[in-house]
Amino acid sequence: MLNIQNVTKTFEKGTVNEHVAIRNLSLSLKKGEFVTIVGSNGAGKSTLFNAICGSFLPDCGHILLDGKDITYEKEYKRAHDIGRVFQDPMKGTAPNMTIEENLALAYTRSVTRANPFSTAITRKKTELFRENLARYNMGIEDRMKTRIGLLSGGQRQVVTLLMCTLSVPKLLLLDEHTAALDPATAEKVMEITKTIVSENQITTLMITHNLNQSLSTGTRTIMMDEGEIILDIAGEERDRMTMEDLIRMYSMKRQKDFDNDRILLAR
């Protein structure tokens, strides 16, 4: 489903601030695969997501989605097939619009090119949105006329998840989407995430700062460092692995200590 081939991205090339953010990176995901990504600060995780979404063009390499080369496709065009949930609950939504207005805009993104009037909010759509929200017991299914900026962080992330998945995307990117939430809310949002991904068999990449979560979510874990994938673990090897094992493998690979307190403190 996703095939990244030898992608490199250097920022501020030719200056004293030159920084290689992604270095000759290759990665393939099968349809329906759920892969978690870990790495220290500056490892290139979010930069990888930005490359996939089209926030910038790579210096070299190719990105293919469902067999189509999207390397040079505009960001807004990729958004029809790629859903992304950010760490900040304030991103990805229009805070001054209501819950149903946000959901309606997202739900119709895959058909607006064929029917520009399909964004209208109908009773049928409102009922669909309410039914889906009610499943997750976040107390927002009866607040459809509420501006989304008035919701709590957890409520907003659930709405954003639905915005990204009601029209099932080919690829879902979760950019530390529970990191800004309190532990109880983060756990609930994570369970909702797993349910949505599993039911729809969505090909998913999830960045997380929690090593334990990275090993218990999905079926494959990759670790990035200095713009490269240095570990790619799945199957029985992953099932047996602990957070300490993962850090030890990193140290053996890089000959240095893992330097991210957020990960080391996540238990």
Side-chain angles (χ1 to χ4, degrees), residues 65-114:
L65 183 62
D66 197 19
K68 177 184 177 183
D69 192 334
I70 63 170
T71 309
Y72 301 106
E73 190 172 62
K74 298 291 186 181
E75 185 173 9
Y76 75 90
K77 291 185 177 181
R78 301 189 203 194
H80 289 285
D81 297 317
I82 301 173
R84 184 174 183 178
V85 184
F86 294 87
Q87 175 181 336
D88 184 354
M90 300 298 287
K91 286 187 176 182
T93 58
N96 290 321
M97 295 176 66
T98 67
I99 294 173
E100 68 178 2
E101 287 170 340
N102 273 274
L103 286 168
L105 284 173
Y107 180 61
T108 56
R109 72 181 185 274
S110 62
V111 297
T112 51
R113 287 173 291 186

Side-chain angles (χ1 to χ4, degrees), residues 205-220:
L205 278 169
M206 183 182 81
I207 296 172
T208 178
H209 67 276
N210 187 317
L211 289 188
N212 286 326
Q213 185 182 76
S214 76
L215 294 171
S216 62
T217 304
T219 57
R220 180 178 167 197

Side-chain angles (χ1 to χ4, degrees), residues 150-167:
L150 300 177
L151 301 181
S152 69
Q155 290 172 332
R156 189 161 183 160
Q157 290 298 63
V158 170
V159 173
T160 307
L161 271 170
L162 285 177
M163 288 173 64
C164 290
T165 57
L166 276 172
S167 293

Side-chain angles (χ1 to χ4, degrees), residues 3-22:
N3 189 5
I4 301 172
Q5 304 171 350
N6 304 312
V7 166
T8 293
K9 180 62 181 180
T10 302
F11 293 105
E12 301 190 65
K13 187 179 295 186
T15 74
V16 294
N17 296 317
E18 181 174 307
H19 172 62
V20 181
I22 302 177

Side-chain angles (χ1 to χ4, degrees), residues 132-149:
N132 276 273
L133 289 170
R135 294 182 59 198
Y136 305 116
N137 301 310
M138 294 295 288
I140 48 179
E141 63 273 12
D142 295 321
R143 300 177 61 189
M144 303 297 290
K145 302 294 185 182
T146 300
R147 291 200 307 273
I148 202 167

